[in-house]
Amino acid sequence: MNNSELINKLASEHNLSDKELKIILETNKFDEELKNTADIIRKENYGNKVFVRGLIEFSNYCKNNCYYCGIRRDNKNTVRYRLDKDTIMLCCKEGYELGFRTFVLQSGEDPFFTEEKMCDIISSIRNEYQDCAITLSIGEKSKESYKLFYNAGANRYLLRHETASQNHYNKLHPESMSLENRKKCLFNLKEIGYQVGSGFMVGSPYQTTENLIEDLRFLQELQPDMIGIGPYITHNQTPFSSHPNGSVELTIRLISILRLLFPKVLLPATTALGTLNLKGRELALKAGANVLMPNLSPVNVRKYYDIYNDKICTGEEAAQCKNCLEKRVGAIGYEIVIDRGDVKK
């Protein structure tokens, strides 16, 4: 089977064998045709629209100790912060005035933010901005907690599985954490009715092509509404400080593969891509991505949400960031829209 036949099969059947996926993942000879085909499929479903989500990183405290993450519990050099409810509401107000219709509340797994506190914040945002989507990205919780957040007004939940391989998971996380529980959380969220997002790091330490194929197979089982992937970027205050960063090229290739596997999925062009390559987010949009997540957090705390080194856009005001992105997106033929950007069914 030649290049075109393999890509046509992926585009028409939304699937390949493990052997065929391995061939595409391990060579760049398919890349141009992959990207072009993914862009066509994306335009068939979403046109030139790029949806923006206003990201509010409201706490960098975390009870977990993942070996790759800069805000892990044992990093004593991180300046910790929490935003209070009034500050979060101000971030939403600014974002709404700028045209954002989705707010993403993201944090480490911070026990300070109890069910009661989170429900109060969620319901306040819901009451104030009834035409907006509220996305949570706050980690593993009980099914009961997820139900409470949903009933308070949350619509979406982002929870990257990070790796679907048990062996690989054990190399990235301490024994106190469980891949089984992570997967269970994702299926609980779907059952409750959330629009669910998952995803993984590309090029994380010890990752193999076989691990990436396992990730794709898990996503086929989960059938998420959103898939967030980005290159692994090292942080110098973690046990993995000497490991190399992941590949931008492989990440872009995977974005195209994901667009063809899941034609209607919402696919972000992540900040991590923009961190490793100044044009990384544009490359992702041209390869099938259709979501951007500019930062609405107060500028004075952004640099402290340092899950990896040298993160971009930590010094820009929200309005500056959005104006910059509009110009950059327009320059490559796409358009940022004022829209909740729900997944197409």
Side-chain angles (χ1 to χ4, degrees):
M1 192 176 290
N2 64 33
N3 296 8
S4 294
E5 289 171 338
L6 203 54
I7 292 167
N8 288 339
K9 179 182 178 183
L10 177 57
S12 61
E13 299 181 15
H14 315 304
N15 200 13
L16 290 175
S17 69
D18 287 2
K19 182 179 179 181
E20 289 165 334
L21 282 172
K22 186 177 173 70
I23 290 169
I24 285 187
L25 284 166
E26 291 186 343
T27 176
N28 62 8
K29 69 179 182 178
F30 301 93
D31 284 358
E32 283 308 307
E33 194 167 351
L34 253 182
K35 285 185 283 189
N36 293 338
T37 307
D39 190 44
I40 290 167
I41 298 297
R42 161 225 205 282
K43 285 175 178 171
E44 285 176 359
N45 288 288
Y46 293 102
N48 288 330
K49 292 180 180 178
V50 176
F51 305 117
V52 288
R53 318 314 199 182
L55 181 63
I56 303 168
E57 296 164 334
F58 65 93
S59 170
N60 72 344
Y61 283 84
C62 192
K63 68 178 186 180
N64 293 331
N65 225 5
C66 306
Y67 302 146
Y68 50 82
C69 183
I71 62 170
R72 63 196 304 267
R73 185 188 67 225
D74 283 358
N75 182 3
K76 306 304 181 189
N77 293 314
T78 290
V79 178
R80 303 288 176 174
Y81 74 90
R82 293 183 177 109
L83 303 183
D84 60 25
K85 178 185 168 184
D86 288 346
T87 304
I88 293 170
M89 295 303 294
L90 281 172
C91 293
C92 292
K93 181 176 185 292
E94 181 180 17
Y96 192 85
E97 290 170 355
L98 287 170
F100 292 91
R101 294 298 178 265
T102 294
F103 304 120
V104 181
L105 301 182
Q106 180 169 292
S107 72
E109 293 198 17
D110 183 357
F112 173 84
F113 285 93
T114 60
E115 288 177 352
E116 184 179 4
K117 286 188 174 81
M118 285 308 304
C119 286
D120 179 42
I121 292 166
I122 294 162
S123 61
S124 296
I125 297 171
R126 171 56 59 228
N127 291 335
E128 190 76 23
Y129 304 104
Q130 296 184 18
D131 58 333
C132 292
I134 300 171
T135 303
L136 303 180
S137 180
I138 56 177
E140 297 177 19
K141 307 290 181 186
S142 69
K143 189 174 184 180
E144 291 69 32
S145 293
Y146 288 149
K147 282 180 181 175
L148 287 170
F149 302 153
Y150 186 81
N151 291 338
N155 312 89
R156 303 174 181 154
Y157 206 103
L158 306 181
L159 184 67
R160 283 186 176 188
H161 66 273
E162 298 300 5
T163 175
S165 159
Q166 184 66 64
N167 182 52
H168 189 218
Y169 184 93
N170 293 344
K171 292 178 179 177
L172 302 181
H173 302 89
E175 287 184 10
S176 58
M177 298 182 69
S178 156
L179 176 59
E180 181 183 6
N181 190 60
R182 178 64 60 120
K183 290 180 176 181
K184 180 182 173 185
C185 286
L186 284 161
F187 284 105
N188 283 342
L189 288 161
K190 282 203 74 167
E191 188 178 318
I192 290 165
Y194 284 92
Q195 291 181 36
V196 174
S198 192
F200 53 90
M201 295 177 290
V202 179
S204 58
Y206 312 111
Q207 186 180 70
T208 64
T209 302
E210 287 68 28
N211 294 151
L212 290 172
I213 293 170
E214 282 185 82
D215 288 322
L216 296 176
R217 296 303 182 212
F218 172 68
L219 291 170
Q220 287 178 312
E221 180 188 358
L222 179 66
Q223 289 295 313
D225 303 289
M226 302 161 278
I227 301 173
I229 68 168
Y232 164 78
I233 303 179
T234 192
H235 191 290
N236 58 15
Q237 299 293 324
T238 70
F240 290 158
S241 59
S242 62
H243 284 263
N245 294 331
S247 161
V248 170
E249 180 182 72
L250 179 56
T251 305
I252 298 296
R253 188 178 305 147
L254 273 156
I255 285 171
S256 295
I257 291 170
L258 287 166
R259 174 56 67 204
L260 299 180
L261 285 173
F262 306 95
K264 295 182 179 179
V265 79
L266 295 163
L267 271 176
T270 58
T271 303
L273 273 169
T275 297
L276 289 188
N277 183 314
L278 289 175
K279 297 283 187 182
R281 288 175 293 183
E282 287 95 325
L283 292 172
L285 292 174
K286 291 194 285 186
N290 64 333
V291 173
L292 290 167
M293 296 175 67
N295 205 325
L296 291 179
S297 308
V299 173
N300 65 320
V301 300
R302 286 189 198 175
K303 65 182 178 182
Y304 301 128
Y305 203 86
D306 56 338
I307 53 178
Y308 51 78
N309 286 150
D310 304 319
K311 190 175 169 188
I312 58 169
C313 300
T314 56
E316 292 180 327
E317 297 286 350
Q320 287 177 316
C321 190
K322 179 146 185 287
N323 290 339
C324 170
L325 284 176
E326 282 178 338
K327 290 175 184 172
R328 294 174 69 159
V329 168
I332 58 170
Y334 302 100
E335 177 192 8
I336 286 179
V337 292
I338 296 176
D339 195 313
R340 276 173 45 124
D342 289 303
V343 69
K344 292 204 168 186
K345 296 295 187 184

